[in-house]
Amino acid sequence: MTHRNSTAVSYTPLYDENDNSEDEKSDVPVRGSTNTKEHSYSEAVNALGCGRFHAVLLIVCGWANISDSAEILSVSFLLPQASKTMGITSFEKGLLTSVVFVGMLVGGFVWGSLADVQGRRQTLVVSLGCNAIFGLLSSLCQNFWLFLAMRFMSGLGVGGSMPVIFTYFSEFQMDKNRGAMVSALSTFWMLGNILTAALAWAVIPREHLGYHNPHGFSYESWRIFVALCCIPAATSMVTFLFLPKSPMYLLEKGENQKVLEVLRKIYCWNNRGVSPEDYPVQHVVPNNAERKGLIRDDIERGGVLAKVKSIAQATIKLFKSPLTRVTLALLAIYLCLSYGYYGLWMWFPELFTRVENGGSACGDVNVTMSNDTDNPHIYEDGFYTALSNLPGNLLAIIFIDRLGRKFMLTTSLILSGVSVFFIWFLHTRIQVLIMSIVFGAISVVAWDTLNVLGVELYPTTCRSTAMGVQAGMNRIGAILGNLIFGLFIDAHCAVPMIVIAVMLAIGGFTTLTLPNTTKIALK
């Protein structure tokens, strides 16, 4: 075989170069089999079954997902009290709201790409540590600009862990229930919403909590809340040290013996009273045998330049055939959903303020963002709104493998767009609360389904990179949605509402161009 680059570089071949056989389907190997044939990775994972290991994996990855949710949502709850304590201007409020998303935009791409080079577990440990350490440091900062910098650094960690968690988790799942398992993992985001809202409700209003000294240092209740939100990230960082590396990633590196060691341990976890020798698979190859993939051995020892080059190559690969159409479609869907979701979700407190001041949610009233500390319902309403994701999460778990990814995503996006039009009829706080609950319950199905599709549509060698790029587009949509909504809500309220509804509908119809991945083996 000749290589495009003639430089002498060490490669590990994943396949026998003389093997021209078609990628075949075979039955799942059974316990006690003496068959020494090569099994695809999908068959090897299916032979593990679904048991105690997968339950532990779901809890650990779910707790990490909660840490990301807590870090993002904490900003909306800490902002009112932080504004009073540090004398933050309206412009600075906007910076504080956006800086976490900017950090996630950068972190999602960098960490996601590194996970395809350095490995999933190692990247998760470092990014979660970044989230926890800088989140805790931010609670100590007395200066606004230093506080802003620490929140940006914390956002880098969040942006890294989010895409990698789903990549790592999915690579241990059986084909037939992968959609339901990834949807179950997505449910922990909702649990993080509830936990964060409940924590804010319990801690922040108690202004007597905290510490003050005569030298100007203060540690108010909202700072305690920020520190408590770092606990999930810190504990997740430790627990991932006890989990195995992704066997699918190890397989792509050509470390077949390590792959079998990991799979045998998982088999023993899932099946009581068995020994590693009982595992019925002895030879594992990647799912797509025609790909003849090659992983470069020199990346890890090549230093920063080699890693940067590898990241660039993995990113460019996403926009080359046969991935071009899939990548562009997914990025368009992420842009539409994040624009519509965050463009409306982050402004629900403003809508509450308008109706409680005697106007309508979309009336031509001149109401500026109020001091949310004067609204006694803000933490209570935030808690109930977080609960609204529960029915949507349950629907995704139950039906995503039955009805298919495309049907679930298309339906959720279009119905979410339709629901936005009801905002014109809202005149009371209860109506706005109901609206936020309905919108949250419908739109969360789209998020859960996208998490599954983002994993299934890409091969192992660039899966985390793809998730990172998707996360970046997610943040761009969130930033644009918030800026445009804030720009037009007072003068022309109809504009942001119509744009959000249209964007969500466009995202729904774009889903129809994606291939079907339901119960199909990972590449």
Side-chain angles (χ1 to χ4, degrees), residues 255-385:
E255 299 182 7
N256 299 59
Q257 189 57 41
K258 291 184 178 179
V259 172
L260 285 174
E261 290 175 2
V262 171
L263 293 176
R264 285 166 179 162
K265 289 179 180 178
I266 296 174
Y267 184 75
C268 292
W269 266 58
N270 283 348
N271 301 273
R272 295 179 182 272
V274 301
S275 65
E277 291 73 22
D278 292 327
Y279 181 55
V281 174
Q282 298 183 30
H283 301 282
V284 185
V285 297
N287 287 331
N288 189 353
E290 294 181 350
R291 196 155 38 93
K292 299 186 186 294
L294 295 172
I295 298 295
R296 294 182 56 162
D297 292 332
D298 64 331
I299 290 177
E300 290 190 359
R301 61 176 182 271
V304 176
L305 291 179
K307 293 180 176 64
V308 171
K309 184 178 179 181
S310 178
I311 290 172
Q313 291 173 341
T315 304
I316 293 172
K317 182 179 179 181
L318 301 179
F319 296 92
K320 288 184 176 181
S321 181
L323 298 177
T324 308
R325 189 182 71 175
V326 168
T327 298
L328 293 178
L330 274 180
L331 291 182
I333 295 169
Y334 263 103
L335 177 64
C336 292
L337 177 56
S338 59
Y339 180 99
Y341 180 84
Y342 289 110
L344 182 60
W345 194 266
M346 300 295 284
W347 284 87
F348 273 128
E350 167 69 2
L351 302 183
F352 277 106
T353 298
R354 288 170 179 259
V355 297
E356 290 203 352
N357 284 353
S360 64
C362 204
D364 188 16
V365 295
N366 185 21
V367 181
T368 59
M369 285 295 288
S370 69
N371 185 342
D372 293 323
T373 56
D374 297 330
N375 184 350
H377 302 294
I378 181 172
Y379 302 112
E380 180 182 355
D381 291 341
F383 177 76
Y384 293 135
T385 302

Side-chain angles (χ1 to χ4, degrees), residues 181-446:
M181 291 296 288
V182 175
S183 296
L185 176 60
S186 301
T187 301
F188 282 84
W189 179 273
M190 175 270 297
L191 297 178
N193 287 356
I194 297 173
L195 177 63
T196 305
L199 191 62
W201 193 4
V203 175
I204 296 179
R206 289 160 176 74
E207 298 185 17
H208 63 279
L209 296 176
Y211 169 78
H212 304 270
N213 70 21
H215 302 292
F217 180 84
S218 61
Y219 203 80
E220 298 88 354
S221 59
W222 68 268
R223 296 181 185 274
I224 296 175
F225 166 72
V226 172
L228 291 174
C229 286
C230 298
I231 293 176
T235 52
S236 294
M237 176 185 66
V238 176
T239 54
F240 271 109
L241 294 173
F242 297 94
L243 288 180
K245 293 182 179 180
S246 166
M248 195 168 197
Y249 172 79
L250 292 173
L251 187 61
E252 290 291 341
K253 289 189 66 180
E255 299 182 7
N256 299 59
Q257 189 57 41
K258 291 184 178 179
V259 172
L260 285 174
E261 290 175 2
V262 171
L263 293 176
R264 285 166 179 162
K265 289 179 180 178
I266 296 174
Y267 184 75
C268 292
W269 266 58
N270 283 348
N271 301 273
R272 295 179 182 272
V274 301
S275 65
E277 291 73 22
D278 292 327
Y279 181 55
V281 174
Q282 298 183 30
H283 301 282
V284 185
V285 297
N287 287 331
N288 189 353
E290 294 181 350
R291 196 155 38 93
K292 299 186 186 294
L294 295 172
I295 298 295
R296 294 182 56 162
D297 292 332
D298 64 331
I299 290 177
E300 290 190 359
R301 61 176 182 271
V304 176
L305 291 179
K307 293 180 176 64
V308 171
K309 184 178 179 181
S310 178
I311 290 172
Q313 291 173 341
T315 304
I316 293 172
K317 182 179 179 181
L318 301 179
F319 296 92
K320 288 184 176 181
S321 181
L323 298 177
T324 308
R325 189 182 71 175
V326 168
T327 298
L328 293 178
L330 274 180
L331 291 182
I333 295 169
Y334 263 103
L335 177 64
C336 292
L337 177 56
S338 59
Y339 180 99
Y341 180 84
Y342 289 110
L344 182 60
W345 194 266
M346 300 295 284
W347 284 87
F348 273 128
E350 167 69 2
L351 302 183
F352 277 106
T353 298
R354 288 170 179 259
V355 297
E356 290 203 352
N357 284 353
S360 64
C362 204
D364 188 16
V365 295
N366 185 21
V367 181
T368 59
M369 285 295 288
S370 69
N371 185 342
D372 293 323
T373 56
D374 297 330
N375 184 350
H377 302 294
I378 181 172
Y379 302 112
E380 180 182 355
D381 291 341
F383 177 76
Y384 293 135
T385 302
L387 282 175
S388 70
N389 291 165
L390 178 59
N393 282 126
L394 293 177
L395 285 175
I397 293 172
I398 295 171
F399 292 109
I400 192 168
D401 285 320
R402 300 179 182 180
L403 301 180
R405 284 65 159 141
K406 293 172 65 173
F407 176 83
M408 297 289 286
L409 183 55
T410 301
T411 303
S412 173
L413 285 167
I414 293 177
L415 289 180
S416 295
V418 171
S419 69
V420 173
F421 285 102
F422 287 95
I423 291 178
W424 273 289
F425 303 99
L426 306 182
H427 293 278
T428 67
R429 166 182 164 260
I430 296 300
Q431 289 175 349
V432 177
L433 179 59
I434 293 173
M435 171 62 202
S436 67
I437 290 173
V438 171
F439 181 78
I442 297 174
S443 59
V444 74
V445 175

